[in-house]
Structures are given as C-alpha cells and as structure tokens.
Amino acid sequence: MLVEDDAEVRYFLERILTKAGYVVGMAADGVSGLRLFRVRPWDLVITDRKMPKMTGEELASAIKKEVPTQHIILIAGIPSCVEYTELFDAVFGKPFSIPTLLARISALIEVTPKE
C-alpha cells in the first residue's frame, strides 16, 4: 500500500512497484490511507512523512496500534526530522535509490509470514 500526497510521486512509485510485480493500493493522504489499510491486509505500507490531515508518523502509529507487526517504510524529505523511527522498518530520504527501495521491500516481504 502506498500513501503519498504528491500525485506525480504517487503514480511514479505505483508504476515502479507494479512493474516489479507488486499489487499496489494508493491513497493521497494519511486519513484515506488508514481507511484503505482497514479494507484488506497489506504486506507492506509505504508512506510519505509530510501530508495533509495526518502525517506518515501518525499513520504509522495508528496502523501499529491495530497490527503491531505491520511492515512500514517511511519516505521523508528530511530523514533526520523523523521523531519515531521505531515505527518504521526503513526510512528513506528524498531523493532515494529505486533499486535500494525495491531491495528493502523484497527483504521485508520475504520474511513476512503468510497466513
């Protein structure tokens, strides 16, 4: 699942993830992202940090209250400003390396137990 308020970034990442073989649900803000998260289980959540209505850290906190083991990756303009890094499996600064992001996603999903 991808939560990103910048439409261009959202669709760029969606194309990359889809091309890599992932099914991607998308939301434009944290509130919509939380609603989408509750619709079905997701192997991984990728969220932007600074968004309207709900930040990526607030979204991650809400998700972790419901599913403490949920894998979450944060994308932040300034990674050093992230206060609650323990909520995330990885924090990527902008700009980030697509191959590195895909490798981290693959590693996280590979270790996720399938139900």
Side-chain angles (χ1 to χ4, degrees), residues 2 8-24 26 46 75 96-103 105:
L2 174 63
E8 290 180 19
V9 173
R10 188 171 58 247
Y11 287 107
F12 171 74
L13 284 172
E14 188 267 340
R15 287 189 312 164
I16 295 223
L17 295 169
T18 300
K19 188 174 181 180
Y22 298 108
V23 174
V24 183
M26 295 188 298
I46 300 172
I75 298 173
F96 53 88
S97 160
I98 296 297
T100 303
L101 176 65
L102 290 174
I105 291 169

Side-chain angles (χ1 to χ4, degrees), residues 43-55:
D43 291 326
L44 175 73
V45 174
I46 300 172
T47 183
D48 188 22
R49 179 175 182 259
K50 190 172 180 183
M51 299 180 290
K53 300 181 185 177
M54 178 185 281
T55 68

Side-chain angles (χ1 to χ4, degrees), residues 81-96:
C81 290
V82 177
E83 293 182 49
Y84 304 103
T85 56
E86 68 276 4
L87 293 170
F88 306 101
D89 294 282
V91 176
F92 285 83
K94 293 178 183 176
F96 53 88

